[in-house]
Amino acid sequence: MSLINEYRATEEAIKELQERLKSLSADDKLQKELEFEGKLRGLMGEYQKSLRDIIALLDPEARTSKGARAAKAPAAGKRARRVKQYKNPHTGEVIETKGGNHKTLKEWKAQWGAEVVEGWATLLG
């Protein structure tokens, strides 16, 4: 795009945004929200309270429920993966892994096939 085309496109975008801003500033809903926000921030300053204090006051469980959910999610949602031991009968090499994202295991599966390699697996715990 040439520089003059970019200039004209930017100028047009600015005009559209200015029109949108003008229509928003005339909206009564926006005026009420801005008034509410101003009064709320004034009260927060007067009483030296932060947004977190207000949230804790209005929804005391908001903070604890997030922390509790985050702590419980892995234990309740998924069970821990068990360790598998793979012994390659061709080379005698042994690897232990909890998942299939092991470099050597991937190489074996590419060389001998996934079903064959899974036949070499033993669950450890």
Short mmCIF file of all heavy atoms in Angstrom, two decimals, residues 9-53:
data_model
loop_
_atom_site.label_atom_id
_atom_site.label_comp_id
_atom_site.label_asym_id
_atom_site.label_seq_id
_atom_site.Cartn_x
_atom_site.Cartn_y
_atom_site.Cartn_z
N ALA A 9 -6.67 6.06 4.29
CA ALA A 9 -7.39 5.02 5.04
C ALA A 9 -7.39 5.35 6.53
O ALA A 9 -8.41 5.19 7.20
CB ALA A 9 -6.74 3.66 4.80
N THR A 10 -6.27 5.83 7.03
CA THR A 10 -6.18 6.21 8.44
C THR A 10 -7.08 7.40 8.73
O THR A 10 -7.78 7.43 9.75
CB THR A 10 -4.72 6.54 8.81
OG1 THR A 10 -3.89 5.44 8.48
CG2 THR A 10 -4.58 6.85 10.29
N GLU A 11 -7.09 8.37 7.82
CA GLU A 11 -7.94 9.55 7.97
C GLU A 11 -9.41 9.14 8.01
O GLU A 11 -10.19 9.63 8.83
CB GLU A 11 -7.66 10.50 6.81
CG GLU A 11 -8.18 11.90 7.01
CD GLU A 11 -7.72 12.81 5.87
OE1 GLU A 11 -7.86 12.42 4.68
OE2 GLU A 11 -7.23 13.91 6.17
N GLU A 12 -9.80 8.22 7.14
CA GLU A 12 -11.19 7.73 7.10
C GLU A 12 -11.54 6.99 8.38
O GLU A 12 -12.63 7.16 8.92
CB GLU A 12 -11.38 6.82 5.88
CG GLU A 12 -12.80 6.35 5.68
CD GLU A 12 -13.78 7.48 5.38
OE1 GLU A 12 -13.40 8.48 4.74
OE2 GLU A 12 -14.95 7.34 5.80
N ALA A 13 -10.61 6.18 8.87
CA ALA A 13 -10.85 5.45 10.12
C ALA A 13 -11.02 6.41 11.28
O ALA A 13 -11.88 6.20 12.15
CB ALA A 13 -9.70 4.48 10.38
N ILE A 14 -10.23 7.47 11.30
CA ILE A 14 -10.34 8.48 12.36
C ILE A 14 -11.71 9.15 12.31
O ILE A 14 -12.36 9.35 13.34
CB ILE A 14 -9.20 9.52 12.26
CG1 ILE A 14 -7.88 8.88 12.66
CG2 ILE A 14 -9.50 10.74 13.13
CD1 ILE A 14 -6.66 9.75 12.41
N LYS A 15 -12.18 9.48 11.11
CA LYS A 15 -13.50 10.11 10.97
C LYS A 15 -14.59 9.18 11.48
O LYS A 15 -15.51 9.62 12.19
CB LYS A 15 -13.77 10.48 9.51
CG LYS A 15 -12.99 11.68 9.03
CD LYS A 15 -13.30 11.97 7.57
CE LYS A 15 -12.42 13.08 7.04
NZ LYS A 15 -12.66 13.33 5.61
N GLU A 16 -14.51 7.89 11.13
CA GLU A 16 -15.51 6.92 11.59
C GLU A 16 -15.49 6.78 13.10
O GLU A 16 -16.55 6.74 13.75
CB GLU A 16 -15.27 5.55 10.94
CG GLU A 16 -15.60 5.51 9.46
CD GLU A 16 -15.23 4.17 8.83
OE1 GLU A 16 -14.94 3.21 9.57
OE2 GLU A 16 -15.24 4.10 7.59
N LEU A 17 -14.30 6.74 13.67
CA LEU A 17 -14.18 6.63 15.13
C LEU A 17 -14.70 7.88 15.84
O LEU A 17 -15.32 7.78 16.90
CB LEU A 17 -12.73 6.34 15.53
CG LEU A 17 -12.23 4.93 15.21
CD1 LEU A 17 -10.73 4.81 15.47
CD2 LEU A 17 -12.99 3.89 16.03
N GLN A 18 -14.45 9.06 15.24
CA GLN A 18 -14.95 10.29 15.83
C GLN A 18 -16.48 10.32 15.81
O GLN A 18 -17.12 10.74 16.78
CB GLN A 18 -14.39 11.51 15.10
CG GLN A 18 -12.95 11.80 15.43
CD GLN A 18 -12.37 12.94 14.62
OE1 GLN A 18 -12.82 13.23 13.51
NE2 GLN A 18 -11.34 13.57 15.18
N GLU A 19 -17.08 9.83 14.72
CA GLU A 19 -18.54 9.76 14.64
C GLU A 19 -19.08 8.79 15.68
O GLU A 19 -20.09 9.06 16.34
CB GLU A 19 -18.98 9.34 13.24
CG GLU A 19 -18.75 10.39 12.18
CD GLU A 19 -19.02 9.88 10.78
OE1 GLU A 19 -19.59 8.78 10.63
OE2 GLU A 19 -18.65 10.59 9.82
N ARG A 20 -18.42 7.66 15.84
CA ARG A 20 -18.85 6.66 16.84
C ARG A 20 -18.73 7.25 18.25
O ARG A 20 -19.62 7.05 19.08
CB ARG A 20 -17.97 5.40 16.71
CG ARG A 20 -18.23 4.35 17.74
CD ARG A 20 -19.49 3.56 17.43
NE ARG A 20 -19.63 2.49 18.40
CZ ARG A 20 -20.72 2.24 19.08
NH1 ARG A 20 -21.80 2.95 18.88
NH2 ARG A 20 -20.76 1.27 19.95
N LEU A 21 -17.66 7.97 18.52
CA LEU A 21 -17.47 8.60 19.82
C LEU A 21 -18.55 9.64 20.09
O LEU A 21 -19.09 9.72 21.20
CB LEU A 21 -16.08 9.24 19.89
CG LEU A 21 -15.68 9.88 21.20
CD1 LEU A 21 -15.62 8.83 22.32
CD2 LEU A 21 -14.31 10.54 21.07
N LYS A 22 -18.91 10.40 19.06
CA LYS A 22 -19.94 11.42 19.21
C LYS A 22 -21.29 10.76 19.52
O LYS A 22 -22.02 11.22 20.40
CB LYS A 22 -20.05 12.26 17.93
CG LYS A 22 -21.00 13.45 18.05
CD LYS A 22 -21.16 14.18 16.73
CE LYS A 22 -19.95 15.02 16.44
NZ LYS A 22 -20.11 15.87 15.25
N SER A 23 -21.61 9.67 18.83
CA SER A 23 -22.89 9.00 19.08
C SER A 23 -22.91 8.35 20.46
O SER A 23 -23.93 8.33 21.13
CB SER A 23 -23.19 7.97 17.99
OG SER A 23 -22.31 6.88 18.07
N LEU A 24 -21.77 7.81 20.89
CA LEU A 24 -21.71 7.21 22.23
C LEU A 24 -21.84 8.27 23.32
O LEU A 24 -22.52 8.05 24.33
CB LEU A 24 -20.40 6.45 22.42
CG LEU A 24 -20.32 5.05 21.87
CD1 LEU A 24 -18.91 4.48 22.02
CD2 LEU A 24 -21.31 4.13 22.56
N SER A 25 -21.21 9.40 23.14
CA SER A 25 -21.26 10.43 24.17
C SER A 25 -22.66 11.02 24.31
O SER A 25 -23.00 11.57 25.36
CB SER A 25 -20.23 11.53 23.89
OG SER A 25 -20.53 12.17 22.67
N ALA A 26 -23.49 10.90 23.28
CA ALA A 26 -24.86 11.39 23.35
C ALA A 26 -25.81 10.36 23.98
O ALA A 26 -26.95 10.68 24.28
CB ALA A 26 -25.35 11.77 21.96
N ASP A 27 -25.33 9.14 24.20
CA ASP A 27 -26.16 8.06 24.73
C ASP A 27 -26.41 8.26 26.22
O ASP A 27 -25.48 8.46 27.01
CB ASP A 27 -25.46 6.72 24.48
CG ASP A 27 -26.35 5.53 24.80
OD1 ASP A 27 -27.52 5.72 25.14
OD2 ASP A 27 -25.84 4.39 24.69
N ASP A 28 -27.68 8.19 26.62
CA ASP A 28 -28.06 8.38 28.03
C ASP A 28 -27.53 7.26 28.92
O ASP A 28 -27.12 7.50 30.06
CB ASP A 28 -29.58 8.46 28.18
CG ASP A 28 -30.14 9.75 27.62
OD1 ASP A 28 -29.38 10.74 27.52
OD2 ASP A 28 -31.34 9.78 27.28
N LYS A 29 -27.51 6.03 28.40
CA LYS A 29 -27.00 4.91 29.19
C LYS A 29 -25.53 5.11 29.56
O LYS A 29 -25.12 4.85 30.68
CB LYS A 29 -27.15 3.59 28.42
CG LYS A 29 -28.57 3.09 28.32
CD LYS A 29 -28.59 1.77 27.57
CE LYS A 29 -30.01 1.26 27.37
NZ LYS A 29 -30.03 0.00 26.61
N LEU A 30 -24.75 5.58 28.58
CA LEU A 30 -23.34 5.83 28.83
C LEU A 30 -23.18 6.92 29.87
O LEU A 30 -22.35 6.80 30.77
CB LEU A 30 -22.62 6.22 27.54
CG LEU A 30 -21.14 6.60 27.72
CD1 LEU A 30 -20.32 5.40 28.17
CD2 LEU A 30 -20.58 7.19 26.45
N GLN A 31 -23.97 7.95 29.77
CA GLN A 31 -23.89 9.06 30.73
C GLN A 31 -24.17 8.56 32.15
O GLN A 31 -23.49 8.94 33.10
CB GLN A 31 -24.85 10.19 30.35
CG GLN A 31 -24.52 10.88 29.04
CD GLN A 31 -23.11 11.45 29.00
OE1 GLN A 31 -22.61 11.97 29.99
NE2 GLN A 31 -22.47 11.31 27.85
N LYS A 32 -25.19 7.71 32.29
CA LYS A 32 -25.52 7.16 33.61
C LYS A 32 -24.40 6.28 34.14
O LYS A 32 -24.06 6.33 35.33
CB LYS A 32 -26.83 6.38 33.55
CG LYS A 32 -28.04 7.27 33.43
CD LYS A 32 -29.32 6.47 33.45
CE LYS A 32 -30.52 7.38 33.32
NZ LYS A 32 -31.78 6.64 33.36
N GLU A 33 -23.81 5.46 33.26
CA GLU A 33 -22.71 4.59 33.69
C GLU A 33 -21.49 5.41 34.09
O GLU A 33 -20.83 5.10 35.09
CB GLU A 33 -22.34 3.60 32.59
CG GLU A 33 -23.31 2.46 32.45
CD GLU A 33 -22.82 1.36 31.51
OE1 GLU A 33 -21.60 1.14 31.43
OE2 GLU A 33 -23.68 0.73 30.87
N LEU A 34 -21.18 6.45 33.33
CA LEU A 34 -20.05 7.30 33.68
C LEU A 34 -20.29 8.02 35.00
O LEU A 34 -19.37 8.16 35.82
CB LEU A 34 -19.79 8.32 32.56
CG LEU A 34 -19.19 7.75 31.27
CD1 LEU A 34 -19.15 8.82 30.18
CD2 LEU A 34 -17.80 7.19 31.51
N GLU A 35 -21.52 8.47 35.21
CA GLU A 35 -21.86 9.14 36.46
C GLU A 35 -21.71 8.16 37.64
O GLU A 35 -21.14 8.49 38.68
CB GLU A 35 -23.30 9.66 36.40
CG GLU A 35 -23.76 10.39 37.66
CD GLU A 35 -25.22 10.80 37.58
OE1 GLU A 35 -25.87 10.59 36.54
OE2 GLU A 35 -25.70 11.33 38.60
N PHE A 36 -22.22 6.94 37.46
CA PHE A 36 -22.10 5.93 38.50
C PHE A 36 -20.64 5.62 38.81
O PHE A 36 -20.23 5.55 39.97
CB PHE A 36 -22.84 4.65 38.09
CG PHE A 36 -22.67 3.51 39.04
CD1 PHE A 36 -23.37 3.48 40.24
CD2 PHE A 36 -21.79 2.47 38.76
CE1 PHE A 36 -23.21 2.44 41.13
CE2 PHE A 36 -21.62 1.43 39.65
CZ PHE A 36 -22.33 1.41 40.84
N GLU A 37 -19.85 5.44 37.75
CA GLU A 37 -18.44 5.13 37.95
C GLU A 37 -17.73 6.26 38.70
O GLU A 37 -16.94 6.02 39.62
CB GLU A 37 -17.74 4.90 36.61
CG GLU A 37 -16.27 4.55 36.76
CD GLU A 37 -15.50 4.53 35.45
OE1 GLU A 37 -15.95 5.14 34.47
OE2 GLU A 37 -14.43 3.88 35.43
N GLY A 38 -18.04 7.50 38.34
CA GLY A 38 -17.43 8.64 39.01
C GLY A 38 -17.79 8.69 40.49
O GLY A 38 -16.92 8.90 41.36
N LYS A 39 -19.07 8.47 40.79
CA LYS A 39 -19.50 8.48 42.19
C LYS A 39 -18.88 7.32 42.97
O LYS A 39 -18.46 7.49 44.12
CB LYS A 39 -21.02 8.41 42.28
CG LYS A 39 -21.70 9.70 41.86
CD LYS A 39 -23.21 9.59 41.98
CE LYS A 39 -23.90 10.88 41.58
NZ LYS A 39 -25.36 10.78 41.68
N LEU A 40 -18.82 6.14 42.33
CA LEU A 40 -18.24 4.98 42.99
C LEU A 40 -16.76 5.21 43.28
O LEU A 40 -16.28 4.94 44.38
CB LEU A 40 -18.42 3.73 42.13
CG LEU A 40 -17.86 2.43 42.70
CD1 LEU A 40 -18.52 2.07 44.02
CD2 LEU A 40 -18.03 1.29 41.70
N ARG A 41 -16.03 5.72 42.31
CA ARG A 41 -14.61 6.00 42.53
C ARG A 41 -14.41 7.06 43.60
O ARG A 41 -13.47 7.00 44.39
CB ARG A 41 -13.93 6.40 41.22
CG ARG A 41 -13.83 5.24 40.24
CD ARG A 41 -12.82 5.50 39.14
NE ARG A 41 -12.80 4.41 38.19
CZ ARG A 41 -12.08 3.31 38.32
NH1 ARG A 41 -11.33 3.15 39.40
NH2 ARG A 41 -12.11 2.36 37.41
N GLY A 42 -15.30 8.05 43.64
CA GLY A 42 -15.24 9.07 44.68
C GLY A 42 -15.43 8.47 46.07
O GLY A 42 -14.69 8.78 47.01
N LEU A 43 -16.42 7.58 46.19
CA LEU A 43 -16.66 6.90 47.47
C LEU A 43 -15.47 6.01 47.85
O LEU A 43 -15.08 5.96 49.02
CB LEU A 43 -17.93 6.04 47.40
CG LEU A 43 -19.24 6.77 47.59
CD1 LEU A 43 -20.41 5.84 47.28
CD2 LEU A 43 -19.36 7.30 49.01
N MET A 44 -14.93 5.31 46.86
CA MET A 44 -13.79 4.45 47.14
C MET A 44 -12.62 5.28 47.65
O MET A 44 -11.92 4.87 48.59
CB MET A 44 -13.39 3.68 45.87
CG MET A 44 -14.37 2.59 45.49
SD MET A 44 -14.12 1.89 43.83
CE MET A 44 -12.44 1.32 43.89
N GLY A 45 -12.40 6.43 47.05
CA GLY A 45 -11.33 7.32 47.51
C GLY A 45 -11.61 7.89 48.89
O GLY A 45 -10.72 7.99 49.73
N GLU A 46 -12.86 8.25 49.12
CA GLU A 46 -13.25 8.83 50.42
C GLU A 46 -13.03 7.84 51.56
O GLU A 46 -12.57 8.20 52.64
CB GLU A 46 -14.72 9.24 50.37
CG GLU A 46 -15.23 9.92 51.62
CD GLU A 46 -16.69 10.29 51.50
OE1 GLU A 46 -17.17 10.53 50.36
OE2 GLU A 46 -17.36 10.33 52.54
N TYR A 47 -13.32 6.58 51.30
CA TYR A 47 -13.18 5.55 52.33
C TYR A 47 -11.89 4.73 52.18
O TYR A 47 -11.70 3.75 52.88
CB TYR A 47 -14.40 4.62 52.33
CG TYR A 47 -15.64 5.31 52.83
CD1 TYR A 47 -16.55 5.87 51.94
CD2 TYR A 47 -15.88 5.43 54.19
CE1 TYR A 47 -17.68 6.51 52.40
CE2 TYR A 47 -17.01 6.08 54.66
CZ TYR A 47 -17.90 6.62 53.76
OH TYR A 47 -19.02 7.26 54.22
N GLN A 48 -11.04 5.12 51.26
CA GLN A 48 -9.76 4.48 51.02
C GLN A 48 -9.92 2.97 50.79
O GLN A 48 -9.27 2.15 51.42
CB GLN A 48 -8.79 4.75 52.17
CG GLN A 48 -8.48 6.21 52.32
CD GLN A 48 -7.59 6.49 53.51
OE1 GLN A 48 -7.42 5.65 54.38
NE2 GLN A 48 -7.02 7.68 53.53
N LYS A 49 -10.80 2.63 49.86
CA LYS A 49 -11.07 1.23 49.52
C LYS A 49 -10.66 0.99 48.07
O LYS A 49 -10.81 1.86 47.22
CB LYS A 49 -12.56 0.87 49.69
CG LYS A 49 -13.05 0.97 51.13
CD LYS A 49 -12.41 -0.10 51.98
CE LYS A 49 -12.90 -0.05 53.41
NZ LYS A 49 -12.25 -1.02 54.26
N SER A 50 -10.16 -0.22 47.82
CA SER A 50 -9.79 -0.59 46.46
C SER A 50 -10.92 -1.40 45.82
O SER A 50 -11.87 -1.80 46.49
CB SER A 50 -8.50 -1.41 46.46
OG SER A 50 -8.75 -2.68 47.03
N LEU A 51 -10.76 -1.68 44.55
CA LEU A 51 -11.74 -2.49 43.83
C LEU A 51 -11.82 -3.89 44.45
O LEU A 51 -12.90 -4.46 44.57
CB LEU A 51 -11.38 -2.56 42.34
CG LEU A 51 -12.39 -3.21 41.42
CD1 LEU A 51 -13.74 -2.54 41.54
CD2 LEU A 51 -11.90 -3.17 40.00
N ARG A 52 -10.70 -4.44 44.87
CA ARG A 52 -10.70 -5.75 45.52
C ARG A 52 -11.50 -5.73 46.82
O ARG A 52 -12.19 -6.69 47.14
CB ARG A 52 -9.28 -6.21 45.80
CG ARG A 52 -8.53 -6.56 44.56
CD ARG A 52 -7.15 -7.06 44.87
NE ARG A 52 -6.41 -7.19 43.61
CZ ARG A 52 -5.40 -7.97 43.46
NH1 ARG A 52 -4.96 -8.70 44.45
NH2 ARG A 52 -4.78 -8.05 42.31
N ASP A 53 -11.39 -4.62 47.57
CA ASP A 53 -12.17 -4.50 48.81
C ASP A 53 -13.67 -4.52 48.50
O ASP A 53 -14.44 -5.16 49.21
CB ASP A 53 -11.82 -3.21 49.55
CG ASP A 53 -10.37 -3.18 50.02
OD1 ASP A 53 -9.82 -4.26 50.31
OD2 ASP A 53 -9.80 -2.07 50.11
#
